[in-house]
Amino acid sequence: IGAVRNLNVHEHISMELFNQHGITTPGGAVAFSPEEAKEAYVKMGSPDELVLKAQVLSGGRGLGTFKNGFKGGVHMISSPEQAEEYSSQMLGQELVTKQNPKGILCNRVYLMEKMNIQNEMYLSLLMDRGYGGPVMVGSPAGGTSIEDVAASNPELIFKEPIDITVGLTPEIANRMASNLGLAEGSDAHAKAVTLMSNLYSMFLSCDCTQVEINPLAETS
């Protein structure tokens, strides 16, 4: 008999936690009804485009299908009316994904700022029994299923065990930033090292067992 931890947070909550710990994220707003989604689009300045994302605890949302036949849990939208229309097809419906073939209820959506991304990487921290402590996992191939990357290109997965009595060292962070494909001495490399430090602080202060950024994006 042992303790079981099943606390998983929605994407919009994780964004708030990231921001509280100095990790930059795209702007966003959560909505619980189609009307709120329409209002959120306007409050975000009525941009040319936003990303509308179903808030369900499952991977593979973009390729999923709702049980009402509406395809995709992630959409590009270009007007307040479209935000209302699309969210009306998502809210209160079950999204079937590869991870959750039985379907999982969507009771909130997240409107997120569209970013001009020039490079997608992967970064995570997790408690690993095999290593007896935290492990940082990174890859220059982000924006897709990391399990698929590990299966097809295992040489693109980098792991750095962290001595919890010492913490994340500059050497580990610098090595991981380089393994992500960022040029040593560049502004992007330095920012990645700072982000890793902030992420590790969040990992400890929030008592996480796993935290993942996919994609970790370099913007233009």
Side-chain angles (χ1 to χ4, degrees):
I1 297 175
V4 176
R5 293 173 45 148
N6 290 315
L7 176 61
N8 299 302
V9 299
H10 280 292
E11 181 179 22
H12 70 94
I13 297 173
S14 69
M15 294 289 192
E16 293 175 16
L17 290 171
F18 281 145
N19 291 333
Q20 289 168 16
H21 290 84
I23 299 167
T24 304
T25 65
V30 66
F32 294 86
S33 71
E35 295 76 22
E36 285 185 7
K38 182 178 181 180
E39 291 172 7
Y41 197 106
V42 175
K43 287 181 179 178
M44 291 178 70
S46 294
D48 291 338
E49 283 186 311
L50 286 176
V51 187
L52 181 68
K53 309 178 83 172
Q55 295 298 280
V56 297
L57 297 173
S58 173
R61 290 172 295 170
L63 297 176
T65 301
F66 288 91
K67 287 188 176 180
N68 62 359
F70 188 68
K71 293 188 181 298
V74 180
H75 290 273
M76 297 303 304
I77 53 174
S78 55
S79 69
E81 292 73 26
Q82 198 172 30
E84 182 178 34
E85 176 192 350
Y86 278 36
S87 60
S88 71
Q89 298 292 315
M90 300 161 80
L91 290 164
Q93 300 293 328
E94 292 184 2
L95 180 63
V96 177
T97 66
K98 187 177 180 181
Q99 257 186 27
N100 283 277
K102 293 183 179 179
I104 184 167
L105 181 66
C106 175
N107 59 17
R108 67 192 79 181
V109 293
Y110 189 57
L111 290 83
M112 192 176 76
E113 174 187 8
K114 181 189 175 186
M115 307 299 292
N116 293 317
I117 298 174
Q118 67 179 32
N119 185 23
E120 292 184 317
M121 300 157 283
Y122 172 90
L123 186 68
S124 68
L125 279 164
L126 66 150
M127 295 299 291
D128 190 296
R129 288 186 179 181
Y131 287 105
V135 175
M136 179 174 282
V137 180
S139 175
T144 186
S145 166
I146 197 64
E147 291 83 8
D148 291 345
V149 174
S152 61
N153 298 94
E155 74 280 2
L156 296 180
I157 304 295
F158 298 92
K159 296 182 180 181
E160 292 282 356
I162 299 168
D163 185 338
I164 201 160
T165 64
V166 176
L168 179 67
T169 64
E171 291 78 14
I172 289 176
N174 276 289
R175 188 162 57 239
M176 181 59 79
S178 296
N179 285 333
L180 293 180
L182 301 172
E184 194 167 348
S186 68
D187 185 52
H189 190 284
K191 286 181 177 178
V193 169
T194 299
L195 181 146
M196 290 174 200
S197 176
N198 292 343
L199 189 67
Y200 186 70
S201 294
M202 172 184 158
F203 185 78
L204 294 181
S205 64
C206 294
D207 195 24
C208 300
T209 53
Q210 180 172 347
V211 58
E212 179 182 65
I213 304 176
N214 190 23
L216 171 62
E218 183 182 2
T219 57
S220 56

